[in-house]
Coordinates of all heavy atoms in Angstrom, one line a residue:
T1 N 96.2 43.3 94.9 CA 95.9 42.1 95.6 C 94.6 42.1 96.3 O 94.3 43.0 97.1 CB 97.1 41.7 96.6 OG1 98.3 41.7 95.9 CG2 96.8 40.4 97.2
G2 N 93.7 41.2 96.0 CA 92.4 41.2 96.6 C 91.4 41.9 95.8 O 90.2 41.8 96.1
E3 N 91.8 42.6 94.8 CA 90.8 43.3 93.9 C 90.3 42.3 92.9 O 90.9 41.2 92.7 CB 91.5 44.4 93.1 CG 92.1 45.5 94.0 CD 91.0 46.5 94.5 OE1 89.8 46.3 94.2 OE2 91.4 47.5 95.2
S4 N 89.2 42.6 92.2 CA 88.6 41.7 91.2 C 89.4 41.7 89.9 O 89.4 40.8 89.2 CB 87.1 42.1 91.0 OG 87.1 43.4 90.4
F5 N 90.1 42.8 89.7 CA 90.9 42.9 88.5 C 92.4 42.7 88.7 O 92.9 42.7 89.9 CB 90.7 44.3 87.9 CG 91.1 45.5 88.8 CD1 92.4 46.0 88.8 CD2 90.2 46.0 89.7 CE1 92.7 47.0 89.6 CE2 90.6 47.0 90.6 CZ 91.8 47.5 90.5
K6 N 93.2 42.6 87.6 CA 94.6 42.4 87.7 C 95.3 43.5 87.0 O 94.8 44.1 86.1 CB 95.0 41.0 87.1 CG 94.3 39.9 87.7 CD 94.6 38.6 87.0 CE 93.8 37.4 87.5 NZ 92.3 37.5 87.3
V7 N 96.6 43.8 87.4 CA 97.4 44.7 86.6 C 98.4 43.9 85.8 O 99.0 43.0 86.2 CB 98.2 45.6 87.6 CG1 99.2 46.5 86.9 CG2 97.2 46.5 88.4
G8 N 98.4 44.3 84.5 CA 99.3 43.6 83.6 C 100.0 44.6 82.6 O 99.9 45.9 82.8
I9 N 100.7 44.1 81.6 CA 101.3 45.0 80.6 C 101.0 44.4 79.2 O 101.0 43.2 79.0 CB 102.8 45.1 80.8 CG1 103.1 45.8 82.1 CG2 103.4 45.9 79.7 CD1 104.6 46.0 82.4
A10 N 100.6 45.3 78.3 CA 100.3 44.8 76.9 C 101.6 44.6 76.2 O 102.6 45.5 76.3 CB 99.5 45.9 76.2
G11 N 101.7 43.6 75.5 CA 103.0 43.2 74.8 C 103.5 44.3 73.9 O 104.7 44.4 73.7
F12 N 102.6 45.1 73.3 CA 103.0 46.1 72.3 C 104.0 47.1 73.0 O 104.8 47.7 72.3 CB 101.8 46.8 71.8 CG 102.2 47.9 70.7 CD1 102.6 47.5 69.5 CD2 102.0 49.2 71.0 CE1 103.0 48.5 68.5 CE2 102.4 50.2 70.1 CZ 102.9 49.8 68.8
T13 N 103.9 47.2 74.3 CA 104.8 48.1 75.0 C 106.3 47.8 74.7 O 107.1 48.7 74.7 CB 104.6 48.0 76.5 OG1 103.2 48.4 76.8 CG2 105.5 48.8 77.4
F14 N 106.5 46.5 74.4 CA 107.9 46.1 74.2 C 108.2 45.8 72.7 O 108.9 44.9 72.4 CB 108.2 44.8 75.0 CG 107.9 45.0 76.5 CD1 106.8 44.5 77.1 CD2 108.8 45.7 77.3 CE1 106.6 44.7 78.5 CE2 108.6 45.9 78.6 CZ 107.5 45.4 79.2
A15 N 107.6 46.6 71.9 CA 107.7 46.3 70.4 C 109.1 46.3 69.9 O 109.4 45.7 68.9 CB 106.9 47.4 69.6
K16 N 110.0 47.0 70.6 CA 111.4 47.1 70.2 C 112.4 46.3 71.0 O 113.6 46.5 70.9 CB 111.8 48.6 70.2 CG 111.0 49.4 69.2 CD 111.5 50.9 69.1 CE 110.7 51.6 68.0 NZ 111.2 53.0 67.8
F17 N 111.8 45.4 71.8 CA 112.6 44.6 72.7 C 112.2 43.1 72.7 O 111.0 42.8 72.4 CB 112.5 45.1 74.1 CG 113.0 46.5 74.3 CD1 112.2 47.6 74.1 CD2 114.4 46.8 74.5 CE1 112.6 48.9 74.2 CE2 114.8 48.1 74.5 CZ 114.0 49.2 74.4
D18 N 113.1 42.2 73.0 CA 112.8 40.8 73.0 C 112.1 40.4 74.2 O 111.9 41.2 75.2 CB 114.1 40.0 72.7 CG 115.1 40.1 73.9 OD1 114.8 40.6 75.0 OD2 116.3 39.8 73.6
L19 N 111.7 39.1 74.3 CA 110.9 38.6 75.4 C 111.7 38.7 76.7 O 111.1 39.0 77.7 CB 110.5 37.2 75.1 CG 109.7 36.5 76.2 CD1 108.4 37.2 76.4 CD2 109.4 35.0 75.8
D20 N 113.0 38.4 76.6 CA 113.8 38.4 77.8 C 113.8 39.8 78.5 O 113.6 39.9 79.7 CB 115.2 38.0 77.5 CG 115.4 36.5 77.2 OD1 114.5 35.7 77.7 OD2 116.3 36.1 76.5
K21 N 113.9 40.8 77.7 CA 113.9 42.2 78.3 C 112.5 42.5 78.8 O 112.4 43.2 79.8 CB 114.3 43.2 77.2 CG 114.5 44.6 77.7 CD 115.6 44.7 78.7 CE 115.8 46.1 79.2 NZ 116.9 46.2 80.2
A22 N 111.4 42.1 78.1 CA 110.1 42.3 78.6 C 109.9 41.6 79.9 O 109.4 42.2 80.9 CB 109.1 41.7 77.6
L23 N 110.3 40.4 80.1 CA 110.1 39.7 81.3 C 111.0 40.3 82.5 O 110.6 40.3 83.6 CB 110.5 38.2 81.1 CG 109.5 37.4 80.2 CD1 110.0 36.0 80.0 CD2 108.1 37.4 80.8
E24 N 112.2 40.7 82.1 CA 113.0 41.4 83.1 C 112.3 42.7 83.6 O 112.3 43.0 84.8 CB 114.3 41.8 82.4 CG 115.3 42.6 83.3 CD 116.5 43.2 82.5 OE1 117.0 42.4 81.7 OE2 116.9 44.3 82.8
T25 N 111.6 43.4 82.7 CA 110.9 44.6 83.1 C 109.7 44.3 84.0 O 109.4 44.9 85.0 CB 110.5 45.4 81.9 OG1 111.6 45.6 81.1 CG2 109.9 46.7 82.3
L26 N 108.9 43.2 83.6 CA 107.8 42.8 84.4 C 108.2 42.5 85.8 O 107.6 42.8 86.8 CB 107.0 41.7 83.8 CG 105.9 42.0 82.9 CD1 106.3 42.7 81.6 CD2 105.0 40.8 82.6
K27 N 109.3 41.7 85.9 CA 109.8 41.4 87.2 C 110.2 42.6 88.1 O 109.9 42.7 89.3 CB 111.0 40.4 87.1 CG 111.6 39.9 88.4 CD 112.7 38.9 88.2 CE 113.2 38.3 89.5 NZ 114.3 37.3 89.3
A28 N 110.8 43.6 87.4 CA 111.3 44.8 88.1 C 110.1 45.6 88.7 O 110.2 46.2 89.8 CB 112.1 45.6 87.2
V29 N 109.0 45.5 88.0 CA 107.8 46.3 88.5 C 106.8 45.4 89.2 O 105.7 45.8 89.5 CB 107.2 47.1 87.4 CG1 108.1 48.2 86.9 CG2 106.7 46.3 86.2
D30 N 107.1 44.1 89.4 CA 106.3 43.2 90.1 C 104.9 43.0 89.4 O 103.9 43.0 90.1 CB 106.1 43.6 91.5 CG 105.6 42.5 92.4 OD1 105.7 41.3 92.0 OD2 105.1 42.8 93.6
V31 N 104.9 42.9 88.1 CA 103.7 42.6 87.3 C 103.8 41.2 86.7 O 104.8 40.8 86.3 CB 103.6 43.7 86.2 CG1 102.5 43.3 85.2 CG2 103.3 45.0 86.7
H32 N 102.6 40.5 86.7 CA 102.7 39.1 86.4 C 101.7 38.7 85.3 O 101.5 37.5 85.1 CB 102.3 38.3 87.7 CG 103.3 38.6 88.8 ND1 104.5 38.0 89.0 CD2 103.2 39.5 89.9 CE1 105.1 38.5 90.1 NE2 104.3 39.4 90.6
Y33 N 101.2 39.6 84.5 CA 100.3 39.3 83.5 C 100.7 40.1 82.2 O 101.0 41.3 82.2 CB 98.8 39.7 83.8 CG 98.3 38.9 85.0 CD1 98.5 39.3 86.3 CD2 97.7 37.6 84.8 CE1 98.1 38.5 87.4 CE2 97.3 36.8 85.8 CZ 97.5 37.3 87.1 OH 97.0 36.5 88.2
L34 N 100.8 39.3 81.1 CA 101.3 39.8 79.8 C 100.4 39.4 78.7 O 100.0 38.3 78.6 CB 102.7 39.3 79.5 CG 103.3 39.7 78.2 CD1 103.7 41.2 78.1 CD2 104.6 38.8 77.9
C35 N 99.9 40.4 77.9 CA 99.2 40.1 76.7 C 100.2 39.8 75.6 O 101.1 40.7 75.3 CB 98.3 41.3 76.3 SG 97.2 40.9 74.9
I36 N 100.1 38.7 75.0 CA 101.2 38.2 74.1 C 101.0 38.8 72.7 O 100.0 38.7 72.0 CB 101.1 36.6 74.0 CG1 101.2 36.0 75.4 CG2 102.1 36.1 73.0 CD1 100.8 34.5 75.4

């Protein structure tokens, strides 16, 4: 927060999981940016 850059997750990380599981994981680690 306050940095010029953001922390996100690349969608390939979830190659074996559906979108719901990906979003559940992002929420758990408080990440808000996803490469689709």
Side-chain angles (χ1 to χ4, degrees):
T1 304
E3 299 281 0
S4 63
F5 59 92
K6 304 172 183 68
V7 172
I9 296 184
F12 182 71
T13 299
F14 303 105
K16 298 188 177 183
F17 298 91
D18 62 17
L19 179 63
D20 289 336
K21 188 63 176 179
L23 294 175
E24 176 188 321
T25 306
L26 265 71
K27 184 176 182 179
V29 293
D30 198 16
V31 169
H32 303 277
Y33 295 90
L34 176 69
C35 188
I36 301 166

